[in-house]
Amino acid sequence: MTGSSAAPAGPEFDGAALPAPELKPLTLDSALKIALGPVKATALRKAFAMETVGDLLSHYPREYADREVLRPLNQVTPGANVTVIADIISVHEKRMSSRPGTIVEVVISDGGGQFTLTFFGKSSQQWRLEQLRPGLRGSFSGKVRMYQGQSQLANPAYKTFESEEEEARDDPSVRLRHKPLIPIYAATAAETSWSLQTMIDLVLRRMDTLPDPVPDDLRAEHGLLTHTEAIRWIHSPDSPAEWMAAQNTLRFTEAWVLQCALMQRHSLARERRTRPRVPTPGGYLERFDAALPFVLTVDQEICAVEIAGDMSQSGPMNRLLQGEVGSGKTVVALRAMLAVADSGGQTALLAPTEVLAGQHLRSITTLLGPDLAAELMPTLLTGKLPVAQKRKALLRAVSGQSRIVIGTHALLSDTVTFFDLGLIVIDEQHRFGVEQRETLRLKGAEPPHVLVMTATPIPRTIAMTVFGDLDVSTIRILPAGRQGITSIVVPLAEHPDWFQRIWTKLAEELARGRQGFVVCPAISPAEVEEDADLAPVSEDDKKTPLANVETVHERLRGFAPLAGYRIEALHGRMTSEEKDRIMQSFAAGEIDVLVATTVIEVGVDVPNASAMVVLDAERFGVSQLHQLRGRVGRGGVPGLCLLVTNSRTGSPSRQRIGDVAATLDGFRLAELDLALRREGNVLGDMQSGEGTSLRFLRVAEDGDLIAEARQAAFHLVSGDPGIRINPALRDAIARRLNESERTWLVKG
């Protein structure tokens, strides 16, 4: 029996009459308004964005409760919507003193802790006293709040097990959900866990046999249930063994569907036709290689060969180039740009920030040397360029005069056109969305070759799942001559007096003729960097005000050990001209200390910079800390990285910082980061594990299963790119992917 403000009358379905059963069986694509009626369909759409029966059945239980085992009440969190199973200890009604009506207070217990339920009514609630009698056991659902130091649920929905037994006696169809294990669903205040359970049970009773996206032989090989069994057992198991078997089946099915989708996209991309881009004898690439003042590492050579092989084909390249911080990805990408220039084409290099775009322009111009730079005319195009400079850059791009156009999101503007766009290079690809990449790709008369780069090493399982449609090249070996970086955790929680020693240590580095960075998570006391992606921290960590550029910059200028040194600030609120001027001055050695936000996280290359001080290090994730540390130790001088934190020993934040300090291996840190953050939305643009689109698959744990699914998907899609022989799989791919994910899959 469901709780409400008035006595229920007659058969109800959470306030809406049950729809009359239809003779036609439901399918996964049946609309919810047909299955449940328009009222419940509208409610589910608003609460969970559900439209079809398949959407509802994909709302899997987050856990199961045993009717015979009470739920621990001390584990609930204030503010959370919860469903608990408990015994009723006492119930009484009293009149409200401030207005007409009554309050019914019910005390429930798990045998240890207690909880209070409060129900407000405009008149007597005698009927509720009869429903909620001491000694009964039931499930209670609502939002937890604190009142006078006690946890309570105000006007919760509820159902006693006695009422369920009465329903089962009156209606045999109810017996389906009268089982020892109770599925608990993610719910809202309006749509409780058992209302979802009721709707799912109703739908399952009308479902026919479900088509199976996993082929029979593959299912038998892995000992999987049929799809029908898996769906029924996950929602209505008789034992733990049943829901575990269902989870195993659905986990593999999820991996299988995703890998088939990725393989299909890879196969379809290969079917496109474009112009091969190969270097010419005596051309730009040959001249560049002859003048290069250093020898490429073995990894750089291998990656260069892989890229050249792709670009010599009539199918467009789609390759990911990943490498450690400072591993030399730029020179490898530049060789690809020169091969395109040899064929008369242009390259568009898309960078996420103006600072990084400007750094790329300077690095590429330096690598080319004066003669090649004059012929190829690398050009910068950003949104904040003065009108005259922007007009000149646009003319160079459309005329083909500039063979290498480097820019930010400004490259995506309708006003930007190219003479012959043959290659797109996207740096720090995770900063760009699907539509942005597609907009740039469509600026080519033919499909351009695409090279995406990341300095954040990608774990094998992520590479298989997120970038399964790309070929992957990896640079692990760092160029010769790089010095080591010493990383030190500065724990201010235990040693607040060490704060002054940070700046003394920085002054020692400056006295050796070197330069340093000081990184803060915020620009000012009230403003975080616009594109900052701060790591989640504990409530204790949040009590400490964020270190900010404006305050730290001012204080360092007045700190005695740093007197006489040139200290400047850099952050995203500055104009393009200001940021470029400061970065060039820092690179030229005219600035000793740069106090900055994470705008210097990637791409900034100043060989003389040896010191990196990261304030509030607990506010940054593993990959961010590794990227920031990589800004020093890039030349012939050793690097020093001080990770300053207010987190206490034993906290997750402190552990994360200690793990970063313990190793310089970015690939090892990437695996750690994956374990900490989970995988995020692996088919969308989200990077945080909070928004994962995966139900059961965990790429941090299921690497072997993903690899098996990938191999099987490769064999199936290679022989049937359109997946015509398995319509159930084709439909599962379309059903599983939301609109943005489908867009991601069909665009190159």
Side-chain angles (χ1 to χ4, degrees):
M1 191 172 295
T2 302
S4 62
S5 59
E12 290 196 353
F13 184 47
D14 264 18
L18 284 169
E22 296 183 5
L23 296 177
K24 185 178 179 181
L26 296 174
T27 70
L28 293 175
D29 295 318
S30 297
L32 285 174
K33 63 182 179 181
I34 295 175
L36 301 172
V39 174
K40 297 312 296 180
T42 300
L44 290 174
R45 182 172 63 253
K46 290 180 178 179
F48 304 106
M50 295 178 184
E51 297 285 352
T52 67
V53 167
D55 294 336
L56 177 61
L57 293 181
S58 295
H59 192 75
Y60 303 128
R62 65 184 183 189
E63 59 181 322
Y64 301 88
D66 192 323
R67 291 174 182 271
E68 305 304 319
V69 180
L70 296 175
R71 315 274 326 271
L73 297 181
N74 60 1
Q75 295 181 6
V76 300
T77 304
N81 282 304
V82 300
T83 297
V84 299
I85 293 178
D87 290 329
I88 300 174
I89 303 301
S90 65
V91 56
H92 70 277
E93 182 180 21
K94 62 181 181 180
R95 292 199 170 276
M96 290 186 281
S97 58
S98 59
R99 54 191 172 93
T102 64
I103 300 175
V104 172
E105 292 185 344
V106 181
V107 177
I108 60 174
S109 174
D110 62 354
Q114 292 188 344
F115 227 73
T116 300
L117 315 178
T118 57
F119 299 91
F120 300 88
K122 295 180 180 179
S123 58
S124 173
Q125 301 181 68
Q126 182 62 37
W127 57 272
R128 199 184 299 275
L129 301 181
E130 295 173 0
Q131 289 179 357
L132 299 173
R133 300 189 304 276
L136 294 183
R137 177 172 293 183
S139 55
F140 308 88
S141 181
K143 188 171 185 177
V144 182
R145 71 174 188 175
M146 300 299 294
Y147 179 71
Q148 296 182 345
Q150 298 293 320
S151 297
Q152 69 169 221
L153 300 178
N155 287 319
Y158 60 86
K159 180 172 288 191
T160 64
F161 294 161
E162 180 188 61
S163 66
E164 284 196 349
E165 291 170 1
E166 292 174 356
E167 289 180 44
R169 286 194 296 270
D170 296 339
D171 183 358
S173 68
V174 178
R175 296 183 187 279
L176 176 66
R177 61 179 183 271
H178 189 60
K179 292 188 174 186
L181 290 178
I182 302 173
I184 305 296
Y185 296 90
T188 66
E191 297 301 329
T192 64
S193 176
W194 64 80
S195 73
L196 287 164
Q197 180 188 357
T198 301
M199 288 183 276
I200 289 171
D201 286 345
L202 177 66
V203 165
L204 286 176
R205 290 201 302 273
R206 297 178 54 199
M207 287 294 299
D208 204 345
T209 300
L210 297 174
D212 208 318
V214 181
D216 294 343
D217 56 345
L218 195 59
R219 191 171 66 248
E221 179 183 345
H222 291 273
L224 305 177
L225 305 173
T226 66
H227 197 52
T228 301
E229 289 173 323
I231 291 296
R232 291 190 181 280
W233 285 10
I234 201 68
H235 289 294
S236 184
D238 284 326
S239 66
E242 286 191 357
W243 66 255
M244 290 175 66
Q247 278 196 7
N248 288 338
T249 295
L250 293 172
R251 181 180 296 110
F252 184 88
T253 301
E254 190 166 36
W256 165 248
V257 171
L258 291 180
Q259 290 302 325
C260 285
L262 289 164
M263 286 294 177
Q264 185 182 36
R265 179 177 188 254
H266 189 275
S267 177
L268 294 174
R270 288 290 186 182
E271 292 180 0
R272 296 192 186 118
R273 288 295 171 259
T274 191
R275 189 192 317 176
R277 303 287 182 167
V278 296
T280 58
Y284 298 121
L285 179 55
E286 191 172 298
R287 289 165 58 193
F288 174 78
D289 286 342
L292 201 61
F294 53 83
V295 178
L296 297 180
T297 66
V298 173
D299 282 355
Q300 285 175 316
E301 290 276 10
I302 292 173
C303 292
V305 169
E306 290 172 340
I307 292 170
D310 281 358
M311 292 176 57
S312 67
Q313 304 299 312
S314 59
M317 172 178 71
N318 281 284
R319 184 169 286 274
L320 168 69
L321 176 62
Q322 65 167 337
E324 272 282 18
V325 176
S327 60
K329 296 182 298 298
T330 301
V331 69
V332 174
L334 180 54
R335 294 186 79 260
M337 298 179 200
L338 294 174
V340 171
D342 272 343
S343 69
Q346 296 167 283
T347 295
L349 194 164
L350 183 61
T353 66
E354 292 181 339
V355 170
L356 182 52
Q359 179 70 45
H360 273 309
L361 177 68
R362 289 186 288 274
S363 298
I364 287 173
T365 301
T366 300
L367 284 168
L368 289 174
D371 293 339
L372 283 175
E375 295 177 53
L376 297 169
M377 202 171 290
T379 297
L380 182 67
L381 182 57
T382 68
K384 295 182 180 180
L385 282 179
V387 174
Q389 291 185 31
K390 184 179 294 185
R391 187 180 296 116
K392 184 183 295 185
L394 291 172
L395 182 60
R396 288 177 175 177
V398 71
S399 67
Q401 186 179 26
S402 174
R403 300 297 181 89
I404 301 173
V405 182
I406 303 162
T408 56
H409 295 74
L411 289 178
L412 308 175
S413 171
D414 291 340
T415 60
V416 179
T417 54
F418 294 88
F419 179 75
D420 178 17
L421 183 59
L423 173 65
I424 296 171
V425 178
I426 300 177
D427 197 12
E428 295 305 314
Q429 56 76 35
H430 62 278
R431 301 285 191 94
F432 297 98
V434 174
E435 292 297 334
Q436 294 166 324
R437 295 194 291 269
E438 175 69 358
T439 296
L440 189 54
R441 189 180 71 82
L442 291 175
K443 291 180 181 289
E446 307 172 283
H449 298 280
V450 177
L451 179 67
V452 297
M453 301 194 299
T454 178
T456 304
I458 299 168
R460 166 178 163 268
T461 49
I462 285 286
M464 284 191 298
T465 308
V466 181
F467 302 108
D469 62 313
L470 299 177
D471 298 303
V472 180
S473 294
T474 302
I475 303 176
R476 288 180 176 269
I477 303 172
L478 294 179
R482 290 293 172 92
Q483 299 295 314
I485 304 174
T486 301
S487 303
I488 300 173
V489 179
V490 183
L492 297 183
E494 293 86 5
H495 302 282
D497 55 309
W498 285 10
F499 189 73
Q500 297 298 321
R501 294 171 62 182
I502 298 168
W503 314 118
T504 302
K505 191 66 178 174
L506 175 60
E508 291 174 2
E509 290 294 310
L510 301 182
R512 296 186 176 98
R514 300 169 186 170
Q515 297 163 272
F517 296 96
V518 178
V519 175
C520 307
I523 297 174
S524 66
E527 184 178 8
V528 174
E529 180 72 64
E530 183 177 341
D531 59 354
D533 183 19
L534 300 186
V537 293
S538 67
E539 290 302 318
D540 286 340
D541 288 336
K542 291 180 181 178
K543 293 176 182 177
T544 305
L546 287 176
N548 66 88
V549 170
E550 291 181 355
T551 302
V552 172
H553 179 222
E554 188 64 29
R555 289 180 178 176
L556 290 188
R557 282 185 159 182
F559 186 58
L562 297 176
Y565 289 109
R566 299 156 295 183
I567 305 173
E568 295 292 344
L570 180 71
H571 54 73
R573 206 190 325 134
M574 293 177 166
T575 66
S576 177
E577 293 82 359
E578 288 176 317
K579 288 185 285 190
D580 193 57
R581 175 182 58 78
I582 290 172
M583 278 310 307
Q584 290 197 47
S585 296
F586 188 66
E590 298 167 0
I591 295 173
D592 299 302
V593 179
L594 203 57
V595 183
T597 56
T598 53
V599 294
I600 57 96
E601 179 186 346
V602 293
V604 176
D605 187 5
V606 181
N608 190 49
S610 65
M612 170 63 68
V613 179
V614 183
L615 300 178
D616 291 342
E618 69 274 7
R619 298 302 183 105
F620 301 103
V622 171
S623 62
Q624 275 187 313
L625 292 175
H626 183 56
Q627 289 282 347
L628 290 169
R629 176 172 56 186
R631 298 308 105 208
V632 299
R634 300 175 69 86
V637 298
L640 172 68
C641 180
L642 302 180
L643 302 174
V644 185
T645 178
N646 292 289
S647 293
R648 297 189 176 278
T649 300
S651 67
S653 299
R654 182 69 168 274
Q655 179 65 42
R656 181 174 70 239
I657 297 167
D659 289 337
V660 173
T663 181
L664 294 173
D665 186 343
F667 287 88
R668 180 178 170 189
L669 289 174
E671 296 285 353
L672 171 67
D673 194 27
L674 173 60
L676 289 173
R677 296 192 304 130
R678 289 173 54 189
E679 58 279 344
N681 186 319
V682 298
L683 286 182
D685 299 316
M686 300 171 65
Q687 299 299 314
S688 168
E690 295 298 318
T692 178
S693 66
L694 298 178
R695 272 68 165 182
F696 294 119
L697 191 66
R698 295 292 171 259
V699 298
E701 305 161 7
D702 298 325
D704 291 343
L705 184 148
I706 292 170
E708 291 172 4
R710 181 171 178 77
Q711 183 177 14
F714 173 78
H715 290 303
L716 182 142
V717 176
S718 295
D720 182 18
I723 312 184
R724 289 179 289 271
I725 63 173
N726 192 336
L729 173 58
R730 187 175 63 248
D731 292 344
I733 292 173
R735 191 179 300 114
R736 173 63 181 83
L737 304 176
N738 62 35
E739 184 175 352
S740 65
E741 290 168 341
R742 283 196 293 269
T743 301
W744 185 86
L745 283 171
V746 300
K747 292 181 178 177

